């Protein structure tokens, strides 16, 4: 059953309201930044939960956290995070970029739709929700997990965001949970958007070192970014489920970072030349042929991991949006 067809009501009485999100299916970042007239369009969806409490309202409007799932789509943990922020007085929107594309999981094949498409979805959701009469446009944040963490980091990057929502528009703050930083813009500027990254040092899906480098690049460009590394924590350590191996997971955390030119073209790591025709698949095939890919990776929580994440998440949203 698609997420939009599920009837979800939180314990605080907040009922999920379906919203349609006009978005696009770019083949790469160049498609968005330099060839937007040719973008294939589609409609995705998500659910908005308005809190029962008015305590975070300002001028009759709530701050909003957009929750962006990872490679397994909307999971109970994402709804739990939305309920947590709703209980704390924030509006919450859970985005589903999979259902309309007829995708259930990307763990075995991340190229079913592009990472650029995932980031476009996040900004498309911002465009719709920023017009909601009860949402404070100046206090919208995005929280992404795994592939969703990559999406919110790209959505905060001005080279990409300016092409989708216009100069200066977009998120007040972004929380990226255990993101993949395999795609990075040469110009990683995020201007005024504050960035928080949290991940475990035992992550087998994404490279903490690569994410550290991404954070430092944002910092050197003038951005505000902090990263918390949790000792012994696995990928998706906020799930609240036992640690398990996902045998069909296709991962390559040691593969080289792929940089993106200002026009959105990928720069191939072997020859250093920007090529607007390169896609995610081209570069993932390169990584596999170079011997970086492997099958199977662990996922899940130790005792206390989920609560640790919850506390860090709430502290960040209270400080930046509350």
């Amino acid at each position: 059953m698609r997420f939009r067809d599920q009837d979800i009501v939180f314990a605080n009485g907040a009922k999920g309201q379906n919203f349609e999100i006009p978005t696009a299916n770019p083949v790469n970042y160049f498609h968005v930044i330099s060839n937007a007239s040719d973008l294939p369009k589609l409609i995705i969806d998500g659910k908005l939960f308005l809190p029962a409490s008015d305590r975070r309202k300002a001028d009759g409007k709530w701050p909003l956290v957009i929750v962006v799932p990872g490679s397994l789509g909307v999971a109970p943990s994402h709804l739990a995070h939305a309920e947590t922020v709703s209980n704390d007085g924030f509006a919450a929107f859970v985005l589903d970029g999979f259902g309309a594309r007829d995708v259930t999981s990307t763990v075995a094949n991340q190229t079913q739709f592009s990472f650029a498409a995932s980031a476009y979805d996040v900004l498309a959701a911002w465009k719709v929700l920023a017009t909601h009469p009860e949402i404070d446009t100046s206090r919208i944040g995005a929280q992404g997990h795994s592939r969703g963490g990559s999406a919110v980091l790209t959505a905060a990057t001005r080279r990409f965001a300016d092409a989708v929502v216009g100069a200066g528009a977009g998120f007040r703050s972004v929380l990226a949970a255990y993101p993949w930083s395999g795609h990075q813009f040469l110009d990683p500027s995020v201007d005024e958007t504050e960035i928080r990254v949290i991940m475990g040092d035992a992550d087998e899906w994404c490279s903490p070192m690569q994410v550290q480098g991404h954070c430092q690049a944002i910092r050197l460009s003038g951005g505000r970014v902090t990263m918390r590394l949790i000792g012994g924590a696995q990928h998706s350590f906020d799930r609240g489920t036992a640690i398990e191996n996902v045998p069909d997971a296709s991962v390559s955390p040691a593969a080289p970072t792929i940089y993106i030119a200002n026009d959105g073209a990928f720069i191939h790591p072997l020859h250093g030349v920007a090529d607007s025709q390169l896609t995610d698949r081209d570069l993932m095939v390169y990584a596999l042929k170079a011997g970086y890919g492997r099958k199977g990776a662990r996922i899940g929580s130790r005792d206390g991991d989920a609560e640790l994440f919850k506390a860090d998440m709430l502290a960040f949203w209270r400080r930046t949006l509350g």
Side-chain angles (χ1 to χ4, degrees):
M1 181 186 296
R2 277 183 58 171
F3 180 59
R4 70 175 183 187
D5 298 324
Q6 301 174 35
D7 190 26
I8 298 172
V9 182
F10 293 156
N12 64 14
K15 179 179 174 61
Q17 307 169 42
N18 285 336
F19 274 75
E20 291 189 338
I21 308 294
T23 188
N25 252 341
V27 297
N28 56 23
Y29 304 98
F30 181 88
H31 204 177
V32 176
I33 295 172
S34 300
N35 193 24
S37 63
D38 189 39
L39 284 172
K41 305 296 185 181
L42 78 157
I43 304 292
I44 59 171
D45 46 78
K47 292 186 187 293
L48 176 66
F49 300 86
L50 296 178
S53 168
D54 289 345
R55 65 192 179 92
R56 296 198 184 277
K57 270 191 169 182
D59 297 324
K61 298 185 177 186
W62 280 293
L64 169 69
V65 176
I66 298 175
V67 178
V68 186
S71 298
L72 288 167
V74 179
S77 57
H78 304 122
L79 291 171
H81 296 324
E83 185 166 13
T84 294
V85 298
S86 173
N87 287 338
D88 208 58
F90 298 91
F93 183 80
V94 180
L95 181 65
D96 177 19
F98 282 28
R101 294 184 171 99
D102 198 27
V103 173
T104 57
S105 169
T106 60
V107 296
N109 178 10
Q110 294 289 352
T111 66
Q112 294 172 76
F113 58 101
S114 71
F115 276 77
S118 290
Y120 198 107
D121 290 350
V122 177
L123 290 164
W126 180 91
K127 288 172 72 174
V128 170
L129 295 163
T131 66
H132 191 288
E134 294 184 280
I135 298 300
D136 185 344
T137 305
S138 69
R139 292 190 294 160
I140 300 179
Q143 173 175 319
H145 297 256
S146 192
R147 181 180 173 121
S150 305
V152 300
L153 286 175
T154 299
T157 304
R158 293 317 316 178
R159 287 285 176 181
F160 189 84
D162 287 357
V164 182
V165 296
F171 294 102
R172 173 88 163 263
S173 47
V174 156
L175 172 59
Y178 38 89
W180 180 63
S181 282
H183 294 168
Q184 298 182 34
F185 277 81
L186 287 177
D187 176 5
S189 173
V190 298
D191 286 353
E192 298 303 314
T193 302
E194 184 169 347
I195 308 293
R196 175 69 165 171
V197 176
I198 181 168
M199 71 185 304
D201 69 357
D203 197 311
E204 296 175 349
W205 301 63
C206 304
S207 164
M209 182 168 62
Q210 193 175 54
V211 177
Q212 284 180 309
H214 195 177
C215 289
Q216 180 65 355
I218 293 170
R219 192 175 293 116
L220 290 173
S221 72
R224 291 176 296 165
V225 57
T226 56
M227 177 176 175
R228 183 177 183 182
L229 196 62
I230 308 300
Q234 301 286 337
H235 195 73
S236 295
F237 66 91
D238 61 310
R239 288 171 63 88
T241 58
I243 295 171
E244 61 178 312
N245 186 60
V246 180
D248 63 339
S250 181
V251 298
S252 53
T257 300
I258 307 301
Y259 288 100
I260 306 162
N262 290 346
D263 65 358
F266 282 124
I267 301 171
H268 199 288
L270 288 184
H271 51 65
V273 176
D275 183 347
S276 65
Q277 300 302 306
L278 286 173
T279 66
D280 294 17
R281 185 180 186 280
D282 295 324
L283 295 161
M284 289 182 181
V285 167
Y286 152 73
L288 291 173
K289 288 183 175 179
Y292 292 108
R294 60 183 176 82
K295 281 286 188 179
R298 288 179 294 175
I299 192 172
S301 308
R302 305 167 301 176
D303 288 346
D305 278 350
E307 287 302 310
L308 183 155
F309 181 87
K310 177 179 175 179
D312 197 282
M313 172 188 74
L314 278 177
F316 181 70
W317 293 130
R318 288 167 179 168
R319 183 173 60 78
T320 62
L321 301 181

